[in-house]
Amino acid sequence: MENIIEIDHLHKAYGKVTAVQDLSFRVREGELFAFLGVNGAGKSTTINILCGQLPKNSGRVLICGKNLETNLDEIKRSLGVVFQSSVLDQELSVRDNLKSRAALYGIAGRAFEARLDALAQMLEFEELLKRPVGRLSGGQRRRIDIARALLHKPKILILDEPTTGLDPQTRSILWQVVGQLRKQEHLTVFLTTHYMEEAADADDVVILDHGKIAAEGTPLSL
């Protein structure tokens, strides 16, 4: 498998505080990659750099073979991101939230309806489409967050602690969908989590400590 993410000597500091130090690793296309570490280890900083939301101080980031510095707009279309905190509009209905997001990618009309139907069935939120997001439970909102990230069929799905605080049923649905999409669409999944049973299913694991790699390898070798 080819590398879909390549990070070389990445460095990011906030004043005198260094968040990421000389970070280098690879993510292969189609794999489940687990990025672990305690709070403050540098995981979210790295993700924000990957998504183009935060500038790096130095280093090189290649996504889908393209340099992040010169191909940011194109790279963003390859990414689907589920952040720790929901970014949905609380006042809008589930359908309107997803429709407005899809419009940013030029997905409308029958194409939108077909993708919405597929995601609603996969993530089991058909009965929630007309409900305002502000009236959903935490688990229900998380399903819509994931649908939002998958609307444009990204090549890479970034999940930043996606199951924290979720009920067992929603966690089960999430991982069923991720497994299904990895098989059907060859989706690459970049995961941060504090649940070791989720990391145990990964193909590769990087453990971060104070912005540096403390260990890396397969779950079995670690």
Side-chain angles (χ1 to χ4, degrees):
M1 291 187 292
E2 295 183 357
N3 294 325
I4 197 166
I5 298 175
E6 299 183 21
I7 293 182
D8 292 304
H9 307 294
L10 185 64
H11 183 89
K12 177 63 182 178
Y14 302 92
K16 295 182 179 180
V17 179
T18 301
V20 174
Q21 305 181 56
D22 196 30
L23 191 63
S24 298
F25 63 86
R26 302 286 186 269
V27 179
R28 292 173 295 171
E29 185 179 1
E31 77 173 352
L32 172 58
F33 178 89
F35 199 46
L36 308 183
V38 299
N39 291 335
K43 304 188 303 298
S44 292
T45 294
T46 304
I47 286 175
N48 286 332
I49 292 172
L50 288 177
C51 298
Q53 294 193 323
L54 192 65
K56 57 184 173 60
N57 293 128
S58 60
R60 185 184 72 149
V61 177
L62 296 182
I63 298 177
C64 300
K66 301 183 184 300
N67 194 302
L68 184 66
E69 288 188 31
T70 54
N71 299 275
L72 180 57
D73 289 339
E74 187 175 352
I75 286 171
K76 281 183 175 181
R77 298 185 70 88
S78 301
L79 301 177
V81 188
V82 179
F83 294 102
Q84 291 180 32
S85 300
S86 178
V87 294
L88 299 168
D89 190 314
Q90 303 292 302
E91 303 300 321
L92 293 180
S93 69
V94 169
R95 172 183 284 277
D96 287 343
N97 261 284
L98 297 178
K99 188 175 183 178
S100 62
R101 179 65 178 178
L104 297 177
Y105 293 95
I107 304 169
R110 292 181 181 178
F112 167 69
E113 295 298 335
R115 186 61 172 164
L116 178 64
D117 288 346
L119 291 171
Q121 288 181 31
M122 255 192 287
L123 290 159
E124 300 181 14
F125 63 83
E126 298 104 313
E127 75 283 1
L128 304 176
L129 288 171
K130 295 181 180 179
R131 194 178 301 180
V133 166
R135 296 183 186 176
L136 302 181
S137 68
Q140 291 169 335
R141 271 197 305 273
R142 181 72 358 171
R143 295 184 203 184
I144 312 308
D145 280 321
I146 294 164
R148 177 185 180 276
L150 292 171
L151 275 170
H152 60 296
K153 296 186 178 181
K155 295 179 180 178
I156 303 167
L157 178 63
I158 297 177
L159 300 172
D160 194 5
E161 297 184 26
T163 60
T164 299
L166 293 187
D167 60 274
Q169 181 186 12
T170 302
R171 287 179 67 186
S172 176
I173 290 171
L174 187 156
W175 288 114
Q176 286 175 22
V177 169
V178 167
Q180 184 177 340
L181 289 172
R182 287 183 65 207
K183 288 179 181 178
Q184 292 179 353
E185 301 180 9
H186 205 51
L187 182 69
T188 303
V189 180
F190 187 105
L191 168 73
T192 76
T193 182
H194 289 301
Y195 296 116
M196 291 302 99
E197 67 269 24
E198 294 179 349
D201 292 330
D203 298 295
D204 284 298
V205 178
V206 163
I207 300 175
L208 212 58
D209 184 40
H210 291 89
K212 295 181 178 180
I213 294 178
E216 57 184 316
T218 66
L220 183 60
S221 67
L222 291 174

